[in-house]
Amino acid sequence: GEAVPPAQKSSWASFLKSIASFSGDLSSMTAPPFILSPISLTEFPAYWCERPELFSAIADARSDEERSMLVLKWFISTLKGQYTSRNEKLGSEKKPLNPVLGELFYGYWPDINGRGQTNLVVEQVSHHPPITAYYIENKAKGIALQGHSAQKTSFSGGSIIVKQIGHAILTVNLPNGRKEEFLITLPKLRIDGLWYGSPYIELCDTSYIQSSTGWLSTIEYKGKGYFSGKSHSFKAVISRPGSSNAAHTYEGLWHLTSKDIKTGAIFTDVTSPKEEVSTYPIEEQDDWETRRLWRWVAKGIREGDFETASKEKGKIENEQRQRRKDEQAAGTQWELKHFEHIDSDPIYERLGKLLKANPPTEDTYVYKHNYHDHPPQATA
Ligand code: 0T9
């Protein structure tokens, strides 16, 4: 392959061989240096809010119908960041840093032009398998997104197939004192381009946004050679409560633009720059915060000093192993800081029924509302 440095060809080939003959937790597999990313998976939930004005605009809807349209518009507009930004930033999809249990990532998007400040709290709630929980809130606008993310991977036809496990719930406080909730399910993805060492993501199948008002968005994803023939194509249908007929239909490319097919009006346009999350300086962060924790590993990867990167990574892994051993010996368990695990999410159950979701129930991580705008002090 062209993107694979000559000296890493055989290690890339054996990496591909082992992913082909194995399914499960890819994150813990050792990959050749050229494919390593200096960014931890705990940073990924920030993709949900890189167009903060689309997030806050949801609060300004004047009807249930309009709110469902604005939620869909925001959701579609996050896809480019979620699924193509590593290609833009790092040259291809790369293997993210595998977060440790208890790893934390905090960030915010400042209050500009009356949109309100949005805060982000992320915690790695499981290491094996990797599960990341997040809470994103714009208090001034009364909007919050709570979710968790895990993956089941398999290998098929030369591609990695990633089924996303987990869901997100968007809650909007309405002017009448009630709350509207949206259950957001996550698309399946395929990682192509592996053979050439330049992986990229294509989305497949269908995902849903089910509102508690009954309005439903059904989003179908297609790649090259399907309905528009182009990669990153989608078609989304919004249907009214209790009806399967389309009230609105949108079509286009999720990484560029899309249109309302009836009126021809632009629906989404992500061709303008996005706004990356703001973080606090590393000097103010505590030892569990992503960018401080991985600082030397990330520096090694960025500067091509893989010896330092792997030495520093080894330190973190050893420390984690020791911690698990100590817990076992003491008969204690790691305690989550910002989230509480529950076996069954009542909101998923209630809204999932409306769209006949499979599975009918899912576990979740409930945010404890115990973070206040500034990183807390170091924990033991
Ligand atoms: C939630 C997102 C998720 C996380 C990543 C599959 C993947 C880990 C999970 C699903 C975000 O909202 C959206 C985007 C990208 C997903 C990652 C892409 C990826 O390759 C990794 C997996 C674990 C690998 O690192 C596979 C090996 C690698 C060599 C291929 C590039």
Side-chain angles (χ1 to χ4, degrees):
E2 273 174 63
V4 187
Q8 294 177 42
K9 273 196 176 138
S10 70
S11 101
W12 182 241
S14 60
F15 178 76
L16 290 183
K17 230 184 239 165
S18 48
I19 50 182
S21 58
F22 155 108
S23 67
D25 187 359
L26 290 182
S27 50
S28 61
M29 283 177 48
T30 309
F34 83 91
I35 206 72
L36 301 179
S37 157
I39 301 161
S40 168
L41 260 190
T42 55
E43 296 206 21
F44 286 40
Y47 294 131
W48 286 112
C49 205
E50 291 181 324
R51 295 181 186 272
E53 65 296 339
L54 293 182
F55 190 62
S56 64
I58 294 167
D60 304 328
R62 286 149 304 176
S63 65
D64 295 349
E65 177 174 7
E66 193 189 2
R67 208 167 301 108
S68 276
M69 292 164 69
L70 291 174
V71 170
L72 177 64
K73 182 175 176 162
W74 155 74
F75 173 83
I76 298 292
S77 304
T78 73
L79 299 177
K80 181 185 182 192
Q82 307 258 18
Y83 302 110
T84 73
S85 60
R86 277 83 53 202
N87 297 69
E88 289 182 0
K89 221 172 155 164
L90 309 169
S92 79
E93 190 62 53
K94 294 207 170 174
K95 190 172 184 293
L97 296 171
N98 187 18
V100 305
L101 179 60
E103 188 173 322
L104 301 166
F105 183 68
Y106 303 107
Y108 64 95
W109 291 266
D111 180 8
I112 299 171
N113 300 328
R115 70 185 187 193
Q117 171 155 327
T118 301
N119 286 328
L120 168 70
V121 177
V122 183
E123 180 169 359
Q124 189 68 13
V125 293
S126 169
H127 175 68
H128 191 81
I131 307 175
T132 310
Y134 53 89
Y135 187 75
I136 302 173
E137 182 178 35
N138 184 326
K139 261 214 182 99
K141 296 283 179 176
I143 310 176
L145 181 74
Q146 175 184 280
H148 68 284
S149 163
Q151 300 86 40
K152 259 211 175 88
T153 53
S154 56
F155 197 78
S156 168
S159 307
I160 298 173
I161 310 293
V162 182
K163 182 179 181 322
Q164 295 203 67
I165 314 288
H167 61 273
I169 304 284
L170 178 75
T171 306
V172 184
N173 297 337
L174 304 180
N176 64 11
R178 296 225 318 273
K179 273 183 199 313
E180 180 173 349
E181 288 146 341
F182 296 83
L183 167 63
I184 300 172
T185 71
L186 305 164
K188 183 186 265 185
L189 44 111
R190 218 179 51 227
I191 306 175
D192 290 328
L194 289 169
W195 183 251
Y196 302 101
S198 47
Y200 63 92
I201 289 175
E202 188 55 273
L203 298 179
C204 11
D205 293 358
T206 310
S207 77
Y208 303 93
I209 305 176
Q210 174 70 63
S211 162
S212 54
T213 62
W215 286 88
L216 169 67
S217 294
T218 303
I219 308 136
E220 254 186 284
Y221 306 91
K222 293 279 193 297
K224 227 178 249 156
Y226 291 89
F227 42 63
S228 81
K230 294 184 182 133
S231 37
H232 306 339
S233 298
F234 79 95
K235 181 176 171 176
V237 168
I238 301 187
S239 47
R240 358 185 137 264
S243 158
S244 56
N245 297 337
H248 303 278
T249 305
Y250 307 100
E251 229 174 56
L253 305 174
W254 49 257
H255 67 309
L256 292 168
T257 59
S258 67
K259 282 181 182 168
D260 180 320
I261 64 157
K262 248 186 268 161
T263 64
I266 290 285
F267 181 53
T268 55
D269 181 348
V270 289
T271 55
S272 63
K274 60 185 178 128
E275 195 176 325
E276 286 193 16
V277 66
S278 296
T279 54
Y280 303 94
I282 280 194
E283 297 69 43
E284 284 175 34
Q285 296 182 11
D286 82 43
D287 295 342
W288 290 95
E289 290 184 59
T290 295
R291 290 191 187 170
R292 187 177 179 100
L293 177 77
W294 292 104
R295 175 156 56 155
W296 307 120
V297 177
K299 184 167 186 278
I301 293 173
R302 283 206 179 91
E303 294 174 357
D305 179 359
F306 299 109
E307 213 176 292
T308 302
S310 91
K311 197 183 84 206
E312 293 295 332
K313 184 165 164 276
K315 276 193 208 163
I316 295 172
E317 287 166 350
N318 288 338
E319 199 274 338
Q320 286 291 309
R321 258 191 291 278
Q322 189 57 47
R323 202 175 274 276
R324 300 288 91 82
K325 265 193 204 156
D326 294 347
E327 284 166 1
Q328 230 181 7
T332 58
Q333 259 195 337
W334 178 261
E335 270 179 47
L336 300 182
K337 189 173 182 124
H338 294 297
F339 294 89
E340 185 193 339
H341 182 243
I342 58 171
D343 289 329
S344 171
D345 180 352
I347 306 174
Y348 178 98
E349 238 170 69
R350 175 161 44 85
L351 299 183
K353 229 174 251 163
L354 299 173
L355 57 83
K356 297 181 186 69
N358 180 28
T361 189
E362 244 186 25
D363 68 340
T364 201
Y365 294 83
V366 179
Y367 178 57
K368 293 192 211 169
H369 290 272
N370 56 353
Y371 174 74
H372 307 283
D373 271 29
H374 202 268
Q377 292 311 299
T379 48

